[in-house]
């Protein structure tokens, strides 16, 4: 088990165009290439465990993959049955989106994952897919992996999701593309919309109106993808928090997606007092540009809306809350309980170990700003918990156990952090 130690730092300056490429877009690039006719070209694919697992699965499903070390090209051969067990590792996105994609494919498929993924709920996708004719099963009546899928013909649907989840929405959109009629999906709050943007960019007919998405079944293969994956704002956010909590701190993140469904956490940090500017420089499937963050004293904030837009950043945001003046509150975030760890519990327990007073609620927590104290903490096998509490180390010095999980999303995290402070592993 690898541990890492971060020492307190008086300053934080980082300008980088090397933040990990976006995880959500990388997963989708590899998967959607299977639906294309011809060769898709993906530049700056995230070479982290989660997304490399997805790429391997795409290969098992019959796609030809060429990787010159910089650009990955994927030539689809449709979806082929495979004797391989498809291992999604730690990735809920991988497993849930493959459920949607494989439900209509000819053959039998088995999806599995690591010890953490095997504990996460899958019924949110298996149930609505079963309702439209998919033959899907798993432990606990289809809720837990390993999951098995026998491709079947799918009926058109109108589905109203109770949770704002891009994973559920994407699984249903993928199913809809190969169903027998026009489908409608509704969600309670708009979740991240990469699937809609990318598939529409490849020629699928997908119309979004407020919280409703209409999807027409494919009449022919999609055009190949030609994408350069932008930097991941969720990964960039760790350094935004680092800059925001260090007097004089400053960071400039280049080539990052400015998709509004992904940068809400930066908006919250801005509301807390940090100085943030966004500069648009490109538009390809997504708006892309630069985010600059400068330190200013932080004040407490209440976060209760657009939770799905900042769900992945709440652990890092909790570190900013710990450094802010006053009591910050997070509500309506029960989804945190079923992420890579129970992030309500893991955030609260670790903050307490750092001497920060908290309150735990079923759907969130309160953080009372104070002075972070040096501590040894667990990652709970959760990459975002590990990175958040290493960033806290800039203030107070922290040691985090079991940091291998960082490789699931941000393999060069330590390299970038070591440019700014003393790190030991
Ligand atoms: C993701 C959606 C989010 C997010 C996850 C990636 C995606 O999950 O937490 O890290 O790529 O669709 P939910 O949509 O289930 O909230």
């Amino acid at each position: 088990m690898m541990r890492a130690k971060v020492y307190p730092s008086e300053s934080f300056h980082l300008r980088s165009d090397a933040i990990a490429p976006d995880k959500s877009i990388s997963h989708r690039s590899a998967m959607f290439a299977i639906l294309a006719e011809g060769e898709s070209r993906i530049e700056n694919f995230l070479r982290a465990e989660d997304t490399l697992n997805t790429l391997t699965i795409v290969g098992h499903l019959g796609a030809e993959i060429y990787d010159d070390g910089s650009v990955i090209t994927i030539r689809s051969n449709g979806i082929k049955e495979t004797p391989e067990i498809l291992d999604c590792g730690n990735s809920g996105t991988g497993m849930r989106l493959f459920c949607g994609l494989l439900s209509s494919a000819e053959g039998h498929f088995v999806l599995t994952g690591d010890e953490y993924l095997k504990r996460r709920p899958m019924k949110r996708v298996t149930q609505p897919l079963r309702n439209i004719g998919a033959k899907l099963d798993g432990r606990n009546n289809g809720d837990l992996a390993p999951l098995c899928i026998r491709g079947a013909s799918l009926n058109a649907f109108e589905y109203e999701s109770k949770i704002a989840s891009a994973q559920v929405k994407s699984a249903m959109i993928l199913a809809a593309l190969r169903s027998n009629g026009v489908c409608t999906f509704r969600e309670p709050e708009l979740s991240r919309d990469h699937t809609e943007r990318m598939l529409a960019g490849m020629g699928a007919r997908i119309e979004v109106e407020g919280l409703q998405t209409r999807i027409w079944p494919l009449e022919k293969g999609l055009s190949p993808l030609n994408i350069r994956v932008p930097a991941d704002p969720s990964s960039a956010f760790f350094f935004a928090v680092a800059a925001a909590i260090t007097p004089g701190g400053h960071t400039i993140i280049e080539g990052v997606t400015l998709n509004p469904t992904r940068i809400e956490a930066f908006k919250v940090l801005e509301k807390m007092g940090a100085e943030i500017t966004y500069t648009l420089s490109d538009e390809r499937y997504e708006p892309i540009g630069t985010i600059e963050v400068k330190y200013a004293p932080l004040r407490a904030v209440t976060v209760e809306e657009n939770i799905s837009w900042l769900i992945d950043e709440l652990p890092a945001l909790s570190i900013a809350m710990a450094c802010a003046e006053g009591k910050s509150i997070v509500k309506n975030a029960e989804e945190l309980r079923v992420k890579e760890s129970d992030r309500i519990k893991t955030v609260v327990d670790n903050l307490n170990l750092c001497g920060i007073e908290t309150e735990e609620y079923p759907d969130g927590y309160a953080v009372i700003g104070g002075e972070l104290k040096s501590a040894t903490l667990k990652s709970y096998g959760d990459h975002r918990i590990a990175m958040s509490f290493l960033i806290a180390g800039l203030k107070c010095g922290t040691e985090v156990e079991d940091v291998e999980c960082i490789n699931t999303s941000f393999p060069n995290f330590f390299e970038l952090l070591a440019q700014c402070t003393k790190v030991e592993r």
Side-chain angles (χ1 to χ4, degrees), residues 210-284:
L211 301 176
Q212 174 173 297
T213 307
R214 295 192 82 202
I215 312 105
W216 277 255
L218 294 180
E219 283 166 4
K220 55 181 176 57
L222 294 169
S223 319
L225 264 174
N226 182 2
I227 194 168
R228 178 180 164 81
V229 179
D232 194 320
S234 308
S235 297
F237 193 67
F238 296 107
F239 297 118
V241 169
I245 63 174
T246 311
H250 183 201
T251 188
I252 300 178
I253 308 295
E254 293 165 344
V256 64
T257 172
L258 299 179
N259 181 326
T261 64
R262 294 296 305 283
I263 56 168
E264 184 72 3
F266 292 88
K267 305 273 170 178
V268 174
L269 202 55
E270 215 178 331
K271 214 166 145 190
M272 294 175 79
E275 271 180 50
I276 308 196
T277 49
Y278 311 84
T279 313
L280 180 71
S281 57
D282 200 3
E283 181 92 44
R284 190 164 189 109

Side-chain angles (χ1 to χ4, degrees), residues 314-332:
L314 286 170
L317 202 54
S318 78
I319 306 302
M321 290 171 168
C323 299
E325 172 90 46
K327 177 175 175 176
S328 292
I329 297 176
V330 175
K331 282 199 227 162
N332 301 325

